[in-house]
Amino acid sequence: MTSSHSLLIRRANIILANGELSIGDVLIDEGQILDVASSIDNVTAAREIDAQGLNLLPGVIDPQVHFREPGLEHKEDLFTASCACVKGGVTSFLEMPNTRPPTISQVEMDDKLERAAQKCLVNYGFFIGATLDNVADLLAVEPACGIKIFMGSMGGKLLVDEEAVLDGIFARGKRLIAVHAEDQMRIKQRREQFAGIHDPAIHSQIQDNQTALLATKLALKLSKKYQRRLHILHMSTADEADLLRESKPDWVTAEVTPQHLLLNVSAYEKIGTLAQMNPPLRTTHDNEVLWQALRDGVIDFIATDHAPHLLEEKAKEYPNTPSGMPGVETSLPLMLTAAVEGKCTVSQVANWMSTAVAKAYGIPNKGAIAPGYDADLVLVDLKKYRPVLREELLSKSGWSPFEGWNLTGWPVVTIVGGQIAYEKGRPNTEVRGQALRFVDTPLPS
């Protein structure tokens, strides 16, 4: 007996839900995985993909991006960013509220959801941003993946750096709080101390390890006080990793970016202000400690903090240059190259870039290759290497801090909701993702 299904992937090296590798077939229909087996016979499909020699991973869920729409579309927009996503194997993203206007109420949330439905090739979710006086909105806005608090490195409405205000936010509700943990007072003092220096490397001294540690300590203190679900964004220092290793409650998670694992302060000599981001790049010691914390589970997963700026903006003289770098196109190849080099395993990469993210944010039916899960998948080639080339990038920013790096694990096919969103080096711009759902994850008993 035969039946017709939409997509059948054959002979792939499948990263299974338990982390094991198995050669087999995956059957997909109506956006969901129907079956995963060593061989699926007596079935016809509208499309078959021979994936022999390729690795099949759950699609990347990037839990921290800045896609600049609305208000800053000259840097990036939801369409160009999601094209870059599918090129990098990213099938879902969680986007930050620092757009213009900022996402601080239901009105801005609804606007972003409408824009995304029209433009995004991948699945999408959005944070609600905390201000000094929008606690009621933080509790009511739907659907939000979490509350974003900028404790530092931010001006205007989205800067919330007073402990009393932070305490009031942590005290109310149960929604996940994600913090950009830098101490704004210390940043201000050190900007004055190092004023007049135009070498961009000074950025890592101004916003030093202590700047990050002070804010992370405060966020942890408030999280423990209220047993409030806390996520620490883009952890960058050995000091923070050591703090979490000593005292990390079950309800706290943390992430690290590929750039904080793979780049350090030596990058300023090579690429100048293209290496400037918040929190800044650190030392090789920080790289090593962060890697170990990630492998040990002290740090839970990977995010890119994709924060694009145009080259002409980055070409200004420090400190008049914007902080941030693009990342969605290169994050998966970077991590898979690290796996091939022995820094981790391919299964760990799949967990850090998909499974663990879905668990932390309570995203149902995402992050695993198993029957009943959504068919958000990426086929990668771990045998071929290709350099990061500026002219091939799809992000509107048009550059990468990893330009010239020779990487493996580039996506061959990216599948979003059972639809082929990237193939033969090109995005399928007809594909549209869906709004992500978020289910409250109860605190461990």
Side-chain angles (χ1 to χ4, degrees):
M1 179 180 176
T2 61
S3 58
S4 181
H5 299 279
S6 59
L7 184 61
L8 179 57
I9 301 169
R10 290 201 180 275
R11 292 176 284 275
N13 301 318
I14 305 167
I15 303 296
L16 298 173
N18 62 5
E20 293 181 2
L21 182 67
S22 175
I23 298 175
D25 300 349
V26 177
L27 182 63
I28 296 163
D29 193 29
E30 295 185 353
Q32 283 201 325
I33 297 170
L34 291 187
D35 194 11
V36 180
S38 57
S39 181
I40 297 174
D41 301 316
N42 301 319
V43 167
T44 60
R47 171 80 190 273
E48 279 197 19
I49 296 175
D50 184 355
Q52 188 167 10
L54 302 178
N55 284 60
L56 185 66
L57 282 65
V60 173
I61 305 170
D62 192 335
Q64 191 194 173
V65 300
H66 303 264
F67 283 169
R68 307 303 191 197
E69 183 176 350
L72 296 164
E73 288 94 337
H74 71 282
K75 299 175 189 281
E76 191 81 277
D77 60 59
L78 290 167
F79 175 73
T80 60
S82 62
C83 287
C85 279
V86 295
K87 183 174 184 288
V90 176
T91 56
S92 300
F93 67 78
L94 305 180
E95 207 254 358
M96 291 297 162
N98 56 326
T99 45
R100 295 181 183 173
T103 316
I104 56 176
S105 75
Q106 191 69 55
V107 171
E108 294 89 21
M109 177 64 73
D110 290 344
D111 177 61
K112 275 194 174 178
L113 289 166
E114 184 178 342
R115 291 168 181 265
Q118 294 172 0
K119 296 184 175 185
C120 280
L121 281 63
V122 300
N123 307 307
Y124 45 88
F126 299 101
F127 281 87
I128 182 76
T131 71
L132 297 176
D133 57 4
N134 75 332
V135 173
D137 292 295
L138 300 181
L139 300 174
V141 169
E142 295 290 352
C145 57
I147 297 165
K148 169 67 179 285
I149 302 179
F150 288 92
M151 300 174 73
S153 292
M154 176 56 67
K157 289 182 176 181
L158 289 174
L159 175 63
V160 183
D161 60 343
E162 298 174 19
E163 183 171 347
V165 179
L166 290 165
D167 189 286
I169 295 170
F170 273 82
R172 296 184 63 186
K174 295 181 179 180
R175 179 168 281 169
L176 176 149
I177 293 174
V179 293
H180 179 122
E182 289 189 283
D183 184 276
Q184 187 67 15
M185 183 63 72
R186 184 172 176 86
I187 293 174
K188 184 171 183 251
Q189 292 168 346
R190 291 176 72 78
R191 278 178 180 163
E192 293 170 359
Q193 179 181 345
F194 295 104
I197 298 175
H198 299 293
D199 180 355
I202 202 68
H203 190 65
S204 291
Q205 292 187 50
I206 292 171
Q207 293 170 223
D208 63 352
N209 286 36
Q210 187 67 14
T211 300
L213 183 62
L214 286 169
T216 296
K217 279 184 173 178
L218 175 56
L220 269 177
K221 182 179 86 169
L222 295 173
S223 174
K224 290 177 181 178
K225 180 178 179 180
Y226 296 106
Q227 288 206 350
R228 183 65 180 269
R229 178 76 178 85
L230 171 67
H231 179 65
I232 301 164
L233 298 159
H234 45 42
M235 185 170 284
S236 63
T237 71
D239 309 72
E240 294 167 284
D242 290 342
L243 173 67
L244 282 195
R245 191 179 289 278
E246 294 167 11
S247 177
K248 183 189 177 192
D250 291 339
W251 59 86
V252 174
T253 52
E255 70 186 30
V256 65
T257 70
Q259 51 267 35
H260 286 118
L261 293 172
L262 300 169
L263 298 176
N264 51 61
V265 290
S266 67
Y268 290 114
E269 293 179 19
K270 299 170 187 172
I271 59 173
T273 54
L274 298 186
Q276 179 188 333
M277 65 174 298
N278 298 328
L281 299 178
R282 310 297 185 184
T283 67
T284 54
H285 172 68
D286 293 291
N287 293 150
E288 292 164 4
V289 173
L290 291 169
W291 263 115
Q292 194 60 51
L294 181 62
R295 287 189 289 258
D296 291 345
V298 175
I299 296 174
D300 299 271
F301 48 83
I302 300 286
T304 65
D305 193 18
H306 178 94
H309 302 283
L310 299 184
L311 282 165
E312 52 261 41
E313 296 170 321
K314 282 286 195 176
K316 296 177 182 178
E317 186 178 57
Y318 184 86
N320 300 314
T321 41
S323 293
M325 53 181 68
V328 293
E329 288 173 82
T330 53
S331 59
L332 183 59
L334 284 165
M335 294 305 298
L336 289 173
T337 301
V340 171
E341 292 171 351
K343 292 186 175 73
C344 57
T345 68
V346 174
S347 291
Q348 284 176 313
V349 172
N351 180 57
W352 295 333
M353 301 191 76
S354 191
T355 311
V357 181
K359 180 181 176 183
Y361 282 94
I363 307 172
N365 302 323
K366 303 285 187 190
I369 302 176
Y373 277 74
D374 294 336
D376 297 331
L377 305 164
V378 58
L379 273 169
V380 301
D381 190 338
L382 290 175
K383 296 182 180 69
K384 292 182 181 177
Y385 280 77
R386 202 170 75 245
V388 179
L389 299 176
R390 185 174 291 187
E391 58 269 24
E392 292 182 357
L393 296 171
L394 298 182
S395 168
K396 194 180 284 189
S397 60
W399 62 275
S400 167
F402 300 102
E403 187 173 358
W405 286 42
N406 202 34
L407 305 178
T408 190
W410 290 98
V412 177
V413 177
T414 302
I415 299 166
V416 178
Q419 308 168 87
I420 303 218
Y422 178 83
E423 185 180 28
K424 297 179 180 176
R426 295 180 181 178
N428 179 356
T429 58
E430 300 300 312
V431 170
R432 290 294 177 269
Q434 301 290 323
L436 294 169
R437 294 185 297 122
F438 306 99
V439 178
D440 285 339
T441 49
L443 297 179
S445 56

